[in-house]
Amino acid sequence: MGCARVSVQNLHLCEGYASPDGRYHPGFYCPRLTDPAGHRYCCRASPRALKSCCSQLALEAITGVNLSSLASPGLLRGPSPGRPLGGVGSGPCPGPTPPGTRVPAGARRQVTAGQLRERGNALFQAGDHAAALAAYTQALSLCDGEPERAVLHRNRAACYLKLEDYAKAEADASKAIEADGRDMKALFRRSQALQKLGRLDQAVSDLQRCMSLEPKNKAFQEALRALGSSMHEKMKTMSCTDSKVAQMFQILLDPEEKDADKKQKAAQNLIVLAREEAGAEKIFQSDGVRLLMQLLDTVKADLMLAALRTLVGLCSGHRSRTTAILAELGAPRLSAVLGVEHEQVSLAACNLLHVMFDSLKEGLQKDFRGKEDAVVLDSSKDLKLLIKHLLELLALEGASAHGRDNALNLLIKVVPRKSPKETNNSMSLWVIDQGLKKILEVGSTVCGTPGSLPVTENSRMSASVLLSKLYDDLKCDAERENFHHLCEDYVRSWFEGHELAGKLRAIQTVSCLLQGPSDAGNRVLELDGIMDSVLSLCASVCEAHQLVAVEALIHAADKAKRASFITANGVSLLKEIYKHSERDSIRIRALVGLCKLGSAGGTDFSMKQFAEGSTMKLAKQCRKWLCNETIDAGTRRWAVEGLAYLTFDADVKEEFVEDKAAMQAMFHLAKSEDRSVLYAVASTLVNCTNSYDHEEPDPQMLELAKYAKQHIPEQHPKDKPDFVKRRVRKLLTAGVVSALACMVKSENPALTNSCRELISRVFLALVEEAEDRGGVVAQGGGKALIPLSLEGTEVGQTKAAQALAKITITSNPEMAFPGERIYEVVRPLVSLLHLQRTGLENFEGLMALTNLAGISERLRQKILKEKAVPMIEGYMFEEHELIRLAATECMCNMAMSKEVQELFLAEDSDRLKLMVLYSGEEDEKLRRAASGTLAMLTALHPAICKRIPQVTVHWLEILQALLLSPSTELQHRGAVVVMNMMAAEREVAEQLMASEMLEILSVLAKDKDKPRVAQAAKESLAQAVAYGLIKPNPGQE
């Protein structure tokens, strides 16, 4: 019998632990003040149960140990020999402490299945259901007879009913019924479980079988009567749902109803009902779509919101219902609702359309109507119909600005391919052919001119993002050439044959393209007359015309093809505008243009475009405008744009982080509704934290460059690590983390993948120092990093994952990522193990996973599910000693999972051999992790004990070296491995006793300074005596 092992030092102590739901429970001594005096022992019926104080009888039932044969109670209050594994602050995982010392010889007693069943019955009668369950479970492991097993399953079902685990109760009762279909107790218990699980019809069936077997049993009669009442009530509830739905619609549609609270409650009930599949189907079948259409036609915001949110429930995950609703409502009606002036209604319509797109594209998940393919054969026509009306909305003069933005956002989400692995880009090609000019209509809008479309400050940026995504979705040169021709034709249509207004539209289109697909923007910029018109309009006396031209010049200034031309022709013009213009809106844009041209050298200290001090003056003016709250946010955004370029200069960075007001003004802008500032803020922060990629040049290449008189980039003295560290601290003090967290939450298209990457880089710089990580987590940094690590560019995801790893290594993961969030961290950490990652990223990923694997079985299962174990094994062969050590420590913690243990049991596997060999390495940390894994595996699987002598001829000298180590921890691990091997098989014990192991164990057994090692050595010698391999020493205990 596989009896549990009990340490004589901790029977009364329940140590602190984490329960399966991830919550930490502090330790306590038994009995507590609330416990009966006789409940003096710490019990845990199963790994998923909570620890509690129990009686001696209960503990014996769980462990199968005779407590009266153990040491005196004076030892029982001593400190626990174990310590947490992979916990916070413990550093690298030292390997698991073996699960308790073996019970001394004679402490075990052979317990039969019948005795355990009787003990379980007694515990059940005493109300200790968890302990009774453990006794019945243990009895099952000893019992082979089918009738006896059926009784034990039936008894376990009773325990699970008391413990309110109804699924397991039903499963155990079913096993009993399989053995004996006339077992009335099992049938009755299964009916109770089924009733709690809501499967009333099956519960009735079981009760009816009980009644047929014993018709006069009053308990069965009463239960059947009560269950019949429950079913009647349920049927009654279901039958009146129709009337409730009708009643809710009547309240909402009744013009005479003046009670606003009553209407609000009816609307909320309708929305809640639609979220459940049964409720959604009931509304749909009760002519709900027609009634919802009537609510939309009322043009009352509250009723329209109720209708749209209810429709979301009806369409969510249900393709056939979505198709039917689309056919009844019609795409024009939905598009019209999206374009209304009321912002919340427009947003709700956007949400509904997004759900409809998902349902039509992804198919059915919750459809119970069956034969889905017969209901909906092809949804591509419906998708194109919706997209067609969204494109028409873009150029519709009567549509609201918010509606136009929502339409753009929807197109960004649903048209381009999600991944390059998808081969079909036909939807993007169709949108380019049918709607590219309509998108450019939004991008070319000049605010304030006659006939211009209503737009927000984000509209043109959204149009640029959509154009960029469509262009990136093209697969060949022919498709890209078609895109270029369409753009050029559109620009020419405005530039040629129109007066000044047309030229402004053409130049605005160029700006839009330069901000999005810059290749297309550069092509259009080279058209005859475009650049000349930009330069001439920069000198216009009309503010609106000047704004358009200066912005186009600014966007063109950072394009390599145009930079030299603009430097030669535009700098003097921009300086003139900056010095003499009376309008701040114009001056600030001219300043940004100068900033872009002045930062052409990047971080190269030796390449400066302007005279000494000019860059500092520009930066000072940018900070001044940034802090001036009397200027509108749209104009102040340009000040951040300027700083994004000027902060390439380390002197500018130093002055900026000293100006706390400027930093906080920038963070406030980042949290505002104008999301077009996100990229500029992120760029400025990347510059201040030096978190861009930079490689140290090869010294030999530097010498060659000097010899060839080539330009050699120079680092600014103030960009050295000490300066960067001080700047990071000042940014943290100013509240950078909360600003970044707010930026990540944005649903705006301005939060592009490139912008996400920049934010990830900043976060990685912020958590570089271990002492700063707690503050980053406290301000929401940990939560913000998770979406960054799962979405965006590959570089951005990796940087975010590395930041998560740094936090997980030095912080308590359960506090840094509370609740379910901790499980979301696993996938990003596993991504750091891929071969294309750097050695540092591999190492930090392994260290972080080690900490997570030591917390709970559920986290270990999550790591297994992400297929991390093969990668961890691979790094155990890594040449770099730190990576090899980290992988071994991680495997040490993962070995607590049954699935990993089974890998070590596999026949044609060198895993066990590697652990044995690593236990004999010179690196003490590596030996500690490997020997700890061996201690755990040999304790749980006797078969592993038998295999150790077969994997390597050096096994004996490795074990002897562990026992003779100056490290007490290594000695203890070695002693436990030997103890487990001695108990596993006589043949293995003979091999051990035939070597010098006997003398070593005899010496260790007398060492009073190392009680745990001595106890394990005594157990090994006692086992040798029991085998008859050695004779007991009369002078010893």
Side-chain angles (χ1 to χ4, degrees), residues 48 154 189 444 464 478 498 519 669 752 858 880 918 982:
R48 297 193 66 80
R154 185 177 71 197
R189 285 168 190 169
S444 67
S464 295
H498 287 80
D519 287 346
L669 269 182
T752 60
R858 187 180 169 195
H880 196 291
Y918 276 0
M982 289 288 296

Side-chain angles (χ1 to χ4, degrees), residues 869-890:
V869 170
M871 291 186 276
I872 296 168
E873 285 184 322
Y875 286 114
M876 289 175 68
F877 295 93
E878 176 68 37
E879 289 184 11
H880 196 291
E881 58 183 20
L882 286 177
I883 295 178
R884 185 170 68 244
L885 171 63
T888 307
E889 290 170 345
C890 191

Side-chain angles (χ1 to χ4, degrees), residues 598-605 607-609 645-650 692:
S599 63
T603 56
D604 186 353
F605 182 49
M607 287 184 67
K608 296 300 168 190
Q609 303 293 317
Y645 289 93
L646 292 173
T647 47
F648 281 123
D649 189 314
Y692 34 71

Side-chain angles (χ1 to χ4, degrees), residues 348-523:
C350 178
N351 186 33
L352 170 60
L353 285 165
H354 195 188
V355 168
M356 295 178 91
F357 273 113
D358 287 344
S359 298
L360 292 171
K361 288 176 79 173
E362 303 299 332
L364 189 68
Q365 291 178 355
K366 303 177 184 176
D367 196 347
F368 296 104
R369 295 174 66 183
K371 297 184 180 178
E372 174 63 20
D373 291 335
V375 179
V376 180
L377 295 173
D378 182 16
S379 56
S380 62
K381 290 182 179 178
D382 291 323
L383 287 169
K384 286 185 176 179
L385 180 66
L386 284 173
I387 291 171
K388 178 173 177 263
H389 282 88
L390 287 178
L391 292 170
E392 288 176 356
L393 177 70
L394 296 180
L396 191 66
E397 290 185 12
S400 68
H402 294 295
R404 193 166 279 105
D405 278 3
N406 288 329
L408 286 167
N409 294 349
L410 258 179
L411 291 167
I412 289 168
K413 291 174 182 175
V414 303
V415 174
R417 291 172 293 168
K418 300 290 183 187
S419 165
K421 294 178 182 178
E422 296 177 30
T423 57
N424 185 2
N425 69 339
S426 60
M427 191 62 77
S428 290
L429 295 175
W430 186 82
V431 168
I432 290 169
D433 287 337
Q434 300 293 318
L436 182 63
K437 292 184 178 180
K438 293 182 176 69
I439 300 167
L440 291 173
E441 284 288 314
V442 180
S444 67
T445 297
V446 180
C447 295
T449 58
S452 61
L453 296 172
V455 292
T456 68
E457 63 273 7
N458 295 314
S459 299
R460 283 196 297 275
M461 174 60 76
S462 297
S464 295
V465 172
L466 176 56
L467 290 167
S468 179
K469 285 188 173 289
L470 290 172
Y471 187 79
D472 291 342
D473 207 32
L474 301 178
K475 296 192 293 186
C476 64
D477 289 342
E479 292 174 356
R480 283 185 276 273
E481 198 60 34
N482 177 56
F483 188 96
H484 289 312
H485 284 315
L486 289 171
C487 292
E488 289 169 7
D489 289 345
Y490 181 82
V491 171
R492 284 198 194 96
S493 70
W494 280 109
F495 193 75
E496 299 170 2
H498 287 80
E499 297 301 323
L500 182 59
K503 287 182 170 51
L504 288 171
R505 290 289 295 269
I507 293 170
Q508 190 78 298
T509 307
V510 172
S511 289
C512 178
L513 289 168
L514 286 169
Q515 286 180 281
S518 55
D519 287 346
N522 278 323
R523 281 271 295 261

Side-chain angles (χ1 to χ4, degrees), residues 118-274:
E118 290 172 8
R119 187 176 295 162
N121 293 343
L123 288 166
F124 190 88
Q125 293 296 327
D128 199 342
H129 305 116
L133 176 63
Y136 294 138
T137 302
Q138 196 172 354
L140 268 172
S141 66
L142 301 175
C143 184
D144 295 325
E146 198 60 41
E148 292 83 1
R149 291 182 67 81
V151 172
L152 289 167
H153 280 300
R154 185 177 71 197
N155 290 356
R156 287 209 320 174
C159 293
Y160 281 128
L161 283 171
K162 293 291 186 182
L163 295 170
E164 298 183 4
D165 193 339
Y166 302 116
K168 288 183 180 177
E170 188 261 341
D172 262 318
S174 295
K175 288 177 183 176
I177 294 165
E178 285 173 16
D180 181 6
R182 299 173 63 84
D183 187 335
M184 288 183 294
K185 287 186 179 179
L187 283 165
F188 185 62
R189 285 168 190 169
R190 188 168 74 173
S191 76
Q192 291 177 297
L194 289 167
Q195 186 175 359
K196 292 293 185 180
L197 291 170
R199 290 146 63 183
L200 302 185
D201 51 342
Q202 292 173 285
V204 166
S205 177
D206 279 351
L207 275 175
Q208 287 172 341
R209 285 175 67 187
C210 290
M211 285 290 292
S212 66
L213 293 168
E214 197 171 317
K216 295 183 179 180
N217 189 310
K218 292 185 178 178
F220 295 161
Q221 292 172 0
E222 187 59 38
L224 191 59
R225 190 179 301 112
L227 191 54
S229 300
S230 298
M231 287 193 70
H232 178 71
E233 198 62 39
K234 185 177 180 181
M235 293 298 292
K236 185 178 176 182
T237 302
M238 289 297 291
S239 65
C240 72
T241 303
D242 286 340
S243 61
K244 284 185 178 178
V245 169
Q247 188 179 5
M248 284 185 270
F249 276 117
Q250 186 178 356
I251 293 169
L252 292 170
L253 291 168
D254 186 1
E256 303 289 324
E257 182 62 65
K258 303 299 182 186
D259 191 338
D261 290 339
K262 192 174 180 181
K263 281 199 169 190
Q264 185 180 1
K265 188 175 180 181
Q268 192 59 40
N269 288 341
L270 199 62
I271 295 165
V272 171
L273 187 63

